[in-house]
Amino acid sequence: MFRSSGPGIDPSRPVYVISVAAEIVAVHPRTLRIYEEAGLICPSRTESNIRLFSENDLRRILWIRHLTQDLGVNLAGIKLLFQLEERLGERILERLYEEGNKKSERAVAAAREGGRR
Amino acid sequence: MFRSSGPGIDPSRPVYVISVAAEIVAVHPRTLRIYEEAGLICPSRTESNIRLFSENDLRRILWIRHLTQDLGVNLAGIKLLFQLEERLGERILERLYEEGNKKSERAVAAAREGGRR
DNA sequence: AGAACCCTATCAATGGTGTTGTCAAGGGTG
DNA sequence: CACCCTTGACAACACCATTGATAGGGTTCT
């Protein structure tokens, strides 16, 4: 499903520093920090406290983007949805809104292509 | 659970006109019309097109109030949550946030007491 | 060492949302 | 007839989401 899910590549591995992550998902770094403050994402940190985002983090960000930009849900609503997801087992929201997710994944793939040029 | 769930009283029976319903749940009538426009509530109508709210409608409104006022979720988010509830079977959200609901029910009971004076 | 990035924290501008409020013009009912 | 209901529009107010800039300080790489 994910371009980078090939052999030897772990989608949960933290690799992108905030400026790179922000460029890939086409969002201001400030916004990513706000998402983290709101408890919506939780990127890893290096020993020297620098945020590192994984592919899974990017996917989560694009999912948040879909909810806010396309559906108009605010951050409080997204937080509630994520809490629901935790309690009801993994991929319920995503199963329900697969089209949105596929869109997100295409966007990631495209963005990563673009970021690589 | 509901004071009015006694014998002979149907919580799904449409009885309250908008001004009465608004007074009971302590919300402006304008707000209730906006909730309906947003697809969050669907009160019955008389033959002459006048809205009639049931006890269940009031409970739903107080649930919406809890989500917006206490949790800060916006109407788009609530709509999504309601869609989830529909697809995942009845009272999932309410089971998760029982304290909020009990609060809502106490509020309804109190409001109806007050409205009766 | 210096450039370029990261960190936190703060302030501000912009556009959008939620809620209440009011006005108008018209219909139903005591 | 008075009063409440209807829809539709407009406005005010406060708050939120996003982007942007700034300051002071740390990390990484060349």
Side-chain angles (χ1 to χ4, degrees):
Chain A
M1 91 176 43
F2 231 57
R3 275 192 84 272
S4 55
S5 315
I9 300 186
D10 182 1
S12 73
R13 187 179 171 193
V15 281
Y16 303 114
V17 92
I18 196 170
S19 61
V20 178
E23 192 191 353
I24 291 175
V25 298
V27 163
H28 200 278
R30 188 81 183 75
T31 307
L32 297 185
R33 295 192 181 105
I34 290 172
Y35 289 169
E36 191 186 17
E37 265 181 86
L40 265 35
I41 55 177
C42 190
S44 302
R45 301 274 188 151
T46 67
E47 290 176 359
S48 56
N49 203 36
I50 289 177
R51 274 171 271 249
L52 284 185
F53 296 79
S54 67
E55 296 280 358
N56 285 342
D57 289 330
L58 297 191
R59 229 169 75 174
R60 193 176 177 90
I61 292 165
L62 287 172
W63 177 234
I64 294 170
R65 277 280 113 177
H66 172 56
L67 291 172
T68 57
Q69 304 306 105
D70 303 339
L71 300 185
V73 182
N74 67 4
L75 302 190
I78 295 175
K79 192 166 186 183
L80 200 55
L81 287 168
F82 283 172
Q83 287 174 5
L84 269 184
E85 208 173 28
E86 275 181 30
R87 283 165 185 68
L88 297 179
E90 289 301 294
R91 300 278 152 227
I92 289 167
L93 292 171
E94 279 150 2
R95 225 186 298 142
L96 285 171
Y97 294 90
E98 275 174 349
E99 71 292 353
N101 247 349
K102 284 174 188 163
K103 189 179 142 200
S104 289
E105 286 170 12
R106 283 196 305 274
V108 175
R112 294 184 70 256
E113 264 329 286
R116 216 179 256 164
R117 97 178 94 80
Chain B
M1 101 180 31
F2 230 57
R3 274 193 85 273
S4 55
S5 317
I9 299 186
D10 181 1
S12 72
R13 187 178 170 192
V15 282
Y16 304 113
V17 94
I18 195 171
S19 60
V20 178
E23 192 189 355
I24 292 174
V25 297
V27 163
H28 200 278
R30 188 82 185 76
T31 306
L32 296 186
R33 295 193 182 104
I34 289 173
Y35 287 171
E36 190 187 16
E37 265 181 85
L40 266 36
I41 54 177
C42 189
S44 302
R45 299 277 187 150
T46 67
E47 291 175 359
S48 55
N49 203 35
I50 289 176
R51 274 172 272 250
L52 284 185
F53 296 79
S54 67
E55 297 280 357
N56 285 342
D57 290 329
L58 297 191
R59 226 167 77 175
R60 193 176 178 88
I61 292 166
L62 287 172
W63 177 235
I64 294 170
R65 265 325 72 189
H66 172 57
L67 291 174
T68 57
Q69 303 307 106
D70 302 339
L71 299 185
V73 182
N74 68 3
L75 302 190
I78 295 175
K79 192 167 185 182
L80 201 54
L81 287 167
F82 283 172
Q83 288 174 5
L84 270 183
E85 209 173 27
E86 274 180 31
R87 284 163 183 70
L88 296 179
E90 288 302 294
R91 300 279 151 228
I92 290 168
L93 291 172
E94 279 151 2
R95 225 185 299 141
L96 285 169
Y97 294 91
E98 274 173 350
E99 69 291 354
N101 247 348
K102 283 175 188 163
K103 187 179 142 199
S104 289
E105 287 170 12
R106 283 198 305 274
V108 175
R112 294 183 72 255
E113 265 327 288
R116 215 178 255 163
R117 98 177 92 78

